[in-house]
Amino acid sequence: MLGPRKPIETLINRASGHSLAKTLSWPHLIALGVGAIVGTGIYTLTGVGAERAGPAVILAFAIAGAVCACAALAYAEMATLIPAAGSAYTFSYAAMGETIAWIVGWSLILEYSLACSTVAVGWSGYLVGWIQSAGIHLPQMLLVGPHGGGIVNLPAVLVALAVMGLLIAGTRESATLNIVLVIIKLVALSIFVALALPAFQSGNLEPFMPYGFASTQIGGETRGVMAAAAIVFFAFYGFDAVATSAEEAKNPGRDLTIGIIGSMLVCTAIYMAVAIAAVGALPFLQLANSPEPLALVLRQLGHPGAAHLIALAAVIALPSVILVMMYGQSRVFFVMARDGLLPKSLAAVSPRTGAPTRITLVTGLSIALVAGIFRLDEIAELANAGTLVAFISVGACLMILRRRSPELPRLFRCPQPYVVGTLTILGCAYLLFSLPGTTLVRFGAWNVIGLLLYALYGRRRSDAARQAAAAA
């Protein structure tokens, strides 16, 4: 029913020409994680969370971080146990079988592609705003897709193609540039905290939980700390992209552990500091639903120049999110093709760079197409559904392989694996079913399409299915 499982040794040992070059060390991996996590979320979701939870958005960030920390611990053990590309897809193949692995891989493709396209469109908005503030007005038909009366969102297309070019140039080169972009973001957020924290007023934190703790309907709107946590959670995901780099890590046992857990600790600390500085400086009703809460805080405090610099940092550094997400999608695509679930011709590796050039090209062009044409505001939550399914599967894989194969060497051993795995599954399931009903229906439709593709193509052509048939 669930299809054949892949022996762990076959997931690690790959034939020459179909394995990725080991070019990444732990600083690259921490930067990959921070680059994916610290993105549009911290610039926008502070206001959305304050609107739902009031000053307790600080607590919402802590809860979301705790759920993600459980997932990160599970990822760290699984990535060092199976240091092969593919992340949750690969883990699921070893623990639960090919059918579940396909569903998880298909969900990851959705997560990464929509996240890339959404950030590309968001970056386009920042860039166009800056250009127009300088008195330069570009043709509207080249700034929005057909949904807005234009032809194509050209800046979004160009940034997606530029990032694609970086990844084709080589993983190490693009990861090194990502470190620079991450530093820019961290410096910008540090400046925000340094300017906003001195204006902290304890009165702005009262009442701390004006809408209560649980997610409830108040005035037709979803309010409460847990309602905010369900939203700000999505500012954290991205560290799973580090696990997709497992095959390219120079020292997987050390580097993956530091990269996954390190990026989560850095980002949780950043988010808590930014949330405390923001809601302490201004009453939460002023922050509520602001599309640019951090810039708003700085303008209200009399720092218009710093507000412009924060926005400029977003323009410069947000492509790092696109880079990491596109990197993650190309690696999942690559591994699924290498396993025979997608055409094997896509799994070619460049002899010069050791990167999967062909699949990166396909990935970049598809993301550029979606970013340039489609309206994403109604479907962006689909990316979140894909992420949560992947996290749930990794929590399950952690517990299954601890019970089935306790003798396998684990370079990082998750403490209390059954507790951590259960909390990961329950926490992510709660957040998944907190998504709007229409999002869940669309996510179901996406997986129906995926299962049809699997039944018609992948199930009969996969390496594992052929090996199982030959053994029989």
Side-chain angles (χ1 to χ4, degrees), residues 382 385 435-448:
L382 283 171
L435 292 170
T438 53
T439 297
L440 295 177
V441 169
R442 290 166 179 162
F443 182 63
W446 169 259
N447 275 292
V448 168

Side-chain angles (χ1 to χ4, degrees), residues 192-276:
F192 170 80
V193 172
L195 293 176
L197 203 54
F200 181 91
Q201 297 182 32
S202 59
N204 288 333
L205 302 184
E206 298 175 1
F208 186 66
M209 287 193 289
Y211 308 118
F213 183 81
S215 178
T216 56
Q217 290 288 322
I218 300 176
E221 299 290 339
T222 305
R223 309 279 189 182
V225 174
M226 292 309 297
I231 292 297
V232 301
F233 165 83
F234 305 120
F236 283 90
Y237 76 75
F239 68 85
D240 54 321
V242 178
T244 69
S245 69
E247 194 171 315
E248 296 163 272
K250 293 179 179 178
N251 184 346
R254 179 198 67 185
D255 297 343
L256 289 172
T257 303
I258 295 174
I260 293 172
I261 297 177
S263 61
M264 270 302 305
L265 290 175
V266 169
C267 293
T268 300
I270 291 169
Y271 283 12
M272 293 288 291
V274 170
I276 290 171

Side-chain angles (χ1 to χ4, degrees), residues 137-390:
H137 296 280
L138 303 175
Q140 187 67 16
M141 66 178 61
L142 297 179
L143 302 180
V144 294
H147 61 84
I151 299 174
V152 65
N153 188 331
L154 188 58
V157 170
L158 293 178
V159 72
L161 295 178
V163 170
M164 178 191 73
L166 282 172
L167 288 173
I168 289 175
T171 301
R172 181 178 179 86
E173 290 78 7
S174 54
T176 301
L177 174 62
N178 183 58
I179 291 176
V180 176
L181 298 180
V182 166
I183 290 172
I184 292 173
K185 284 193 289 190
L186 295 183
V187 168
L189 292 174
S190 298
I191 291 173
F192 170 80
V193 172
L195 293 176
L197 203 54
F200 181 91
Q201 297 182 32
S202 59
N204 288 333
L205 302 184
E206 298 175 1
F208 186 66
M209 287 193 289
Y211 308 118
F213 183 81
S215 178
T216 56
Q217 290 288 322
I218 300 176
E221 299 290 339
T222 305
R223 309 279 189 182
V225 174
M226 292 309 297
I231 292 297
V232 301
F233 165 83
F234 305 120
F236 283 90
Y237 76 75
F239 68 85
D240 54 321
V242 178
T244 69
S245 69
E247 194 171 315
E248 296 163 272
K250 293 179 179 178
N251 184 346
R254 179 198 67 185
D255 297 343
L256 289 172
T257 303
I258 295 174
I260 293 172
I261 297 177
S263 61
M264 270 302 305
L265 290 175
V266 169
C267 293
T268 300
I270 291 169
Y271 283 12
M272 293 288 291
V274 170
I276 290 171
V279 299
L282 284 184
F284 77 90
L285 290 175
Q286 292 187 39
L287 289 175
N289 272 337
S290 170
E292 45 169 7
L294 305 190
L296 173 66
V297 169
L298 293 178
R299 283 197 298 269
Q300 292 291 322
L301 295 179
H303 302 293
H308 285 297
L309 287 176
I310 292 289
L312 178 60
V315 172
I316 295 172
L318 280 183
S320 68
V321 181
I322 305 172
L323 186 149
V324 179
M325 293 297 183
M326 191 181 295
Y327 170 90
Q329 183 182 341
S330 66
R331 268 49 180 181
V332 172
F333 257 138
F334 169 81
V335 178
M336 294 176 76
R338 188 171 64 180
D339 289 338
L341 294 171
L342 295 171
K344 283 240 180 204
S345 60
L346 295 174
V349 176
S350 168
R352 183 180 64 83
T353 64
T357 302
R358 191 171 297 170
I359 198 66
T360 302
L361 184 65
V362 172
T363 299
L365 291 175
S366 62
I367 289 170
L369 178 66
V370 173
I373 295 177
F374 292 100
R375 178 176 176 173
L376 300 176
D377 55 347
E378 293 182 353
I379 64 171
E381 285 174 314
L382 283 171
N384 304 331
T387 303
L388 289 164
V389 166

